[in-house]
Amino acid sequence: MAFNKVTTTPFDDQKPGTSGLRKKVTVFQQPHYLENFVQSTFNAAGNCQGKTLVVGGDGRYYNATAIQTILKMAAANGFSHVWVGQNGILSTPAASCVIRRYQAFGGIILSASHNPAGVDGDFGIKFNISNGGPAPESITNAIFTNSQQIEQYQISDASDIDLGQLGTQQLDGMSVQVIDSVADYAELMQSLFDFTAIRDLLTQGTFRMRFDAMHAVTGPYATEILENQLGAPKGTVINGVPLPDFGQGHPDPNLTYAEELVAEMFSANAPDFGAASDGDGDRNMILGDNIFVTPSDSLAILAANATLVPAYKNGLSGIARSMPTSQAADRVAEKLGIEAHETPTGWKFFGNLLDADRATLCGEESFGTGSNHIREKDGLWAVLFWLNVLAVEKRSVEDIVHQHWQEFGRNYYTRHDYEAVPSEQAQSLMQHLQNQLADLPGKQFNGNTVSYADNFSYTDPVDQSVSENQGIRIGFESGDRIIYRLSGTGTEGATLRVYIESYEADQNKQHQDTQLALAALIELAGSLAMITDLIGRTAPTVIT
Ligand code: VG1
Ligand code: CO
């Protein structure tokens, strides 16, 4: 066995997006493509000699093949130890947990999250640093720079590791420890929540729940924690077996894609609580009997009820949300007298705030919530948090949501996505908006005056790093907002996301249909951006 130096040439498209590098499987299958990116990552990460790495993924097609390559490259780059999930499986939150628990130098997570999988689907790879969180922009930028200059990569010619067998194996002088994918994560969850109270809720009364794993990575985690450890009846977890193509589905937990769960939760005999998770297990959707909890509201409600959960019984240091996420959480922070932070989209921007204990809970409108227990968003954690709150409060999801609105007001909120838009058209739409920014403040629309219009720029309060062009914001004196940004996770053309929010303090007006309540703002968002003219669409692809 030997370490080989393989000569290569750069690919020009290896710039990590919101959450790592995402491309079609066929792009990753090109000779040297994966290897170039992995070598660029190791180069950007610094000295790897004698260090420990964590590797795992969401089990999608190409996961195991890529892991064998990464292990051989890790050995040739000097790593002394690798922790890898059995059969290559680690959900994104579990990988973050394992990195932190074993004080690894970092981790490589193979996932394209909710993007469809399979031979013709998507694949993805991202690097997490020693705090367990996604590499910050300074490192992702360095990965890209390295990828543009790369001339060779290093790889061992050893044979494949048996990823099915738990325990330690050797790979060209590097030890590879195949670990149970669920155990460390499940232990962490036990340490945060009141499992006794949740078990009583799930086993002693009439309470019923359903969890949809969407044939993605959370199946084994949810089955072990909800059914085996907490006693929920068998069958509580549906679509619980991870499949390499996610059963041909689109494992994005929202009202459009989690059809089976949504149909049941809005039926006459609906369970009391429903939840779903995404491809790599970091997102969550929360439902009650005939009610959907908007992710932005979920963050605010968890924050307002955090002291009911053992891990947060002493209160929160702060709450952070991504810029397009509704301002509901800010109202909770204000009432609690704690810091509220607004960051660009993507979990990497929360890491510094969590490390510095400036935030305890974080969330995004895109079905992501998490806390300082790891450095990724965490789908099952949010589900257990809700269960813990329900177990203590002994009230319905609907009651809890409605009472929250009564106390804090309701932030009506929706996101309209226009997928697979030709990139040039999407760019020209954003440019058209950019051109209007200087003139918009002071203008009135439907009696609503624009108070600011800008392209969001964020200065990290911990390390002072600046991230520009993070999305166009139009804010009104009423607190209403319209936000536009282009997705950084898609693999086909561009996806335009339009986020619309309006605050309603009047209890008598808090129970309207969201799309109706926001109709005037939605129309304004369309006309300001000239959506129909510039991208030729009359309706969004997905509404959440
Ligand atoms: C989307 C979401 C963002 C999330 C990111 C990764 O990014 O909007 O909030 O952090 O996906 O989530 P974008 O750039 O497409 O809007 V995951 O669960 O797909 O890793
Ligand atoms: Co995800």
Side-chain angles (χ1 to χ4, degrees):
M1 287 179 294
F3 296 152
N4 296 320
K5 290 190 168 155
V6 179
T7 303
T8 187
T9 49
F11 293 89
D12 62 8
D13 64 346
Q14 297 197 324
K15 189 170 177 58
T18 311
S19 181
L21 184 70
R22 288 191 195 172
K23 300 285 172 193
K24 293 275 164 217
V25 167
T26 46
V27 172
F28 271 103
Q29 285 172 326
Q30 297 171 84
H32 309 311
Y33 193 89
L34 172 71
E35 291 86 344
N36 274 17
F37 188 76
V38 173
Q39 186 65 54
S40 303
T41 300
F42 290 157
N43 294 348
N47 184 5
C48 306
Q49 288 299 325
K51 304 270 173 71
T52 299
L53 185 71
V54 171
V55 182
D58 62 16
R60 66 176 60 224
Y61 180 78
Y62 209 55
N63 192 51
T65 313
I67 287 181
Q68 297 291 354
T69 301
I70 292 164
L71 293 178
K72 290 168 197 174
M73 291 186 67
N77 277 276
F79 282 97
S80 61
H81 202 99
V82 174
W83 300 85
V84 55
Q86 189 173 22
N87 298 316
I89 300 279
L90 281 177
S91 72
T92 289
S96 185
C97 160
V98 171
I99 293 170
R100 292 169 69 78
R101 181 160 194 179
Y102 300 106
Q103 297 174 348
F105 171 66
I108 290 186
I109 303 176
L110 302 165
S111 169
S113 192
H114 56 282
N115 297 23
V119 188
D120 303 317
D122 290 349
F123 192 72
I125 175 168
K126 66 174 178 167
F127 180 65
N128 282 29
I129 57 175
S130 61
N131 73 355
E137 280 197 327
S138 55
I139 295 183
T140 55
N141 290 339
I143 294 173
F144 181 53
T145 307
N146 272 282
S147 78
Q148 291 179 300
Q149 296 160 355
I150 191 165
E151 290 173 355
Q152 64 172 27
Y153 60 84
Q154 297 168 56
I155 189 163
S156 158
D157 61 5
S159 42
D160 284 0
I161 287 288
D162 180 356
L163 292 173
Q165 196 193 324
L166 292 176
T168 309
Q169 301 167 53
Q170 294 299 319
L171 193 159
D172 233 350
M174 179 180 83
S175 83
V176 179
Q177 180 106 12
V178 178
I179 57 169
D180 183 296
S181 312
V182 178
D184 293 303
Y185 177 82
E187 263 181 48
L188 177 60
M189 293 302 113
Q190 287 162 21
S191 75
L192 302 174
F193 299 106
D194 185 345
F195 267 40
T196 308
I198 301 176
R199 191 177 303 111
D200 287 351
L201 174 75
L202 291 171
T203 56
Q204 313 240 308
T206 57
F207 186 90
R208 286 187 300 133
M209 79 166 282
R210 186 78 67 219
F211 181 90
D212 190 348
M214 303 187 85
H215 287 303
V217 80
T218 35
Y221 295 86
T223 306
E224 171 60 21
I225 295 172
L226 298 174
E227 295 185 2
N228 299 347
Q229 298 189 4
L230 291 168
K234 296 279 164 228
T236 295
V237 177
I238 56 171
N239 302 317
V241 177
L243 299 172
D245 66 350
F246 300 144
Q248 301 270 309
H250 196 139
D252 202 353
N254 61 40
L255 295 175
T256 305
Y257 292 125
E259 300 155 327
E260 185 179 349
L261 176 73
V262 170
E264 187 178 9
M265 295 308 298
F266 284 91
S267 70
N269 187 28
D272 302 281
F273 182 64
S277 202
D278 72 333
D280 60 332
D282 56 1
R283 296 187 182 201
N284 71 89
M285 173 166 67
I286 301 295
L287 301 152
D289 180 347
N290 282 272
I291 182 173
F292 160 66
V293 186
T294 301
S296 299
D297 278 353
S298 180
L299 171 66
I301 292 168
L302 296 185
N305 290 284
T307 52
L308 301 179
V309 171
Y312 313 105
K313 66 174 192 299
N314 296 327
L316 309 174
S317 62
I319 310 171
R321 61 165 175 83
S322 68
M323 181 273 282
T325 303
S326 97
Q327 300 161 102
D330 302 12
R331 295 183 179 272
V332 177
E334 195 182 349
K335 182 148 191 187
L336 295 175
I338 56 176
E339 288 187 17
H341 299 274
E342 181 176 50
T343 61
T345 293
W347 213 261
K348 58 177 168 250
F349 295 101
F350 293 133
N352 278 349
L353 295 171
L354 292 165
D355 284 352
D357 200 26
R358 305 262 314 250
T360 310
L361 298 192
C362 306
E364 295 191 282
E365 50 63 42
S366 54
F367 299 81
T369 349
S371 88
N372 59 357
H373 67 294
I374 53 170
R375 294 293 181 273
E376 287 278 6
K377 54 189 184 279
D378 189 344
L380 259 179
W381 167 90
V383 173
L384 292 166
F385 200 136
W386 265 96
L387 283 170
N388 200 148
V389 170
L390 292 169
V392 177
E393 285 283 306
K394 301 193 166 47
R395 291 187 294 139
S396 69
V397 172
E398 185 176 40
D399 258 21
I400 289 176
V401 172
H402 288 178
Q403 201 213 331
H404 186 90
W405 292 342
Q406 266 182 31
E407 188 177 346
F408 294 93
R410 177 175 182 185
N411 291 70
Y412 279 104
Y413 185 84
T414 191
R415 183 178 103 186
H416 288 198
D417 289 338
Y418 298 82
E419 294 177 350
V421 177
S423 292
E424 316 78 64
Q425 291 183 16
Q427 293 296 347
S428 66
L429 181 146
M430 293 302 282
Q431 191 56 51
H432 170 67
L433 286 165
Q434 183 78 35
N435 296 343
Q436 299 174 65
L437 295 181
D439 298 332
L440 279 172
K443 280 200 177 158
Q444 271 209 7
F445 300 94
N446 313 321
N448 209 348
T449 308
V450 175
S451 56
Y452 62 89
D454 62 10
N455 198 329
F456 181 55
S457 169
Y458 176 65
T459 303
D460 184 305
V462 179
D463 67 12
Q464 312 304 322
S465 58
V466 177
S467 303
E468 290 177 325
N469 297 320
Q470 297 295 325
I472 287 183
R473 314 188 289 182
I474 301 174
F476 296 85
E477 281 172 1
S478 59
D480 293 1
R481 295 193 306 166
I482 302 173
I483 289 147
Y484 307 83
R485 57 179 286 282
L486 299 183
S487 156
T489 57
T491 59
E492 266 179 69
T495 293
L496 168 69
R497 304 199 195 285
V498 186
Y499 313 78
I500 295 140
E501 172 182 10
S502 181
Y503 180 68
E504 182 55 72
D506 183 346
Q507 287 181 29
N508 299 319
K509 296 183 183 162
Q510 287 175 350
H511 299 279
Q512 302 168 58
D513 173 82
T514 300
Q515 300 303 316
L516 290 178
L518 294 173
L521 266 184
I522 292 171
E523 203 184 315
L524 177 61
S527 66
L528 284 174
M530 292 178 63
I531 291 179
T532 308
D533 292 325
L534 293 176
I535 64 172
R537 300 286 177 88
T538 51
T541 322
V542 177
I543 295 180
T544 49

